Amino acid sequence: MDAAVHEREAAAVRERFEAHRLAWGDADGYGRSFAEGADYLTYYGGRLAGREGIVEGHRGLFAGVLKGSRLWAEITDLEFLAPDVALLHARGAVLKGKRTRPGRRALSVQTYVMTREPAGGWLIRAFQNTRYRPRVEALAGALARLAPKAG
């Protein structure tokens, strides 16, 4: 992919990502970010299958416990695996009340696989949301440093 095409496609992927973030709270609007056969893995390990499953899985949340909440999200890495496949890593959190930024304990790390549709737009084909635990990350890093070196 040449540089101009890469920049144009990266901008289109980022635009879809932002539209997805802004659609939070509207189950149908949120669902439009996903491909028909999308997979959505929640931070607690649940799986929502297909666009309709994702929409219905969020409808009750948006009417209940997540009513009035907002989605904070930012892309931390974007890579094209193929001309029509983008891999994104992001951080995200649900904001409630007057919060404008998430606390460390509210952060999740997220993986998105986006595919370009035949009509040219980008949609989310797979999404995984994992709660970020800085203490667990620090412990895992310390244990890795203590492991015997191969060789």
Side-chain angles (χ1 to χ4, degrees):
M1 180 181 308
D2 74 26
V5 171
H6 182 275
E7 286 306 311
R8 185 176 65 242
E9 295 304 331
V13 166
R14 290 177 189 282
E15 185 177 306
R16 167 53 65 194
F17 182 87
E18 184 64 5
H20 166 71
R21 185 187 72 76
L22 293 173
W24 185 261
D26 170 10
D28 295 311
Y30 189 71
R32 283 192 284 278
S33 292
F34 293 90
E36 286 294 332
D39 279 314
Y40 187 110
L41 299 175
T42 68
Y43 77 86
Y44 59 84
R47 178 177 179 228
L48 303 173
R51 179 185 290 154
E52 194 57 34
I54 294 165
V55 168
E56 292 310 314
H58 284 83
R59 194 176 306 284
L61 293 171
F62 291 156
V65 68
L66 296 177
K67 187 173 184 169
S69 66
R70 292 153 338 276
L71 185 61
W72 177 91
E74 66 181 10
I75 296 171
T76 58
D77 188 49
L78 168 58
E79 176 184 356
F80 288 95
L81 303 179
D84 295 333
V85 180
L87 173 66
L88 286 77
H89 291 98
R91 295 184 305 167
V94 173
L95 301 177
K96 295 182 179 180
K98 295 180 181 184
R99 289 195 75 102
T100 58
R101 300 272 306 169
R104 268 183 81 133
R105 294 182 51 97
L107 277 177
S108 292
V109 292
Q110 302 164 335
T111 303
Y112 293 79
V113 175
M114 289 192 186
T115 55
R116 184 176 24 211
E117 299 301 299
W122 289 87
L123 293 176
I124 301 165
R125 178 59 180 84
F127 171 78
Q128 180 173 1
N129 189 26
T130 303
R131 182 65 75 199
Y132 176 64
R133 295 290 183 232
R135 288 184 183 166
V136 173
E137 182 181 45
L139 176 61
L143 292 173
R145 286 188 298 278
L146 292 175
K149 304 277 189 256

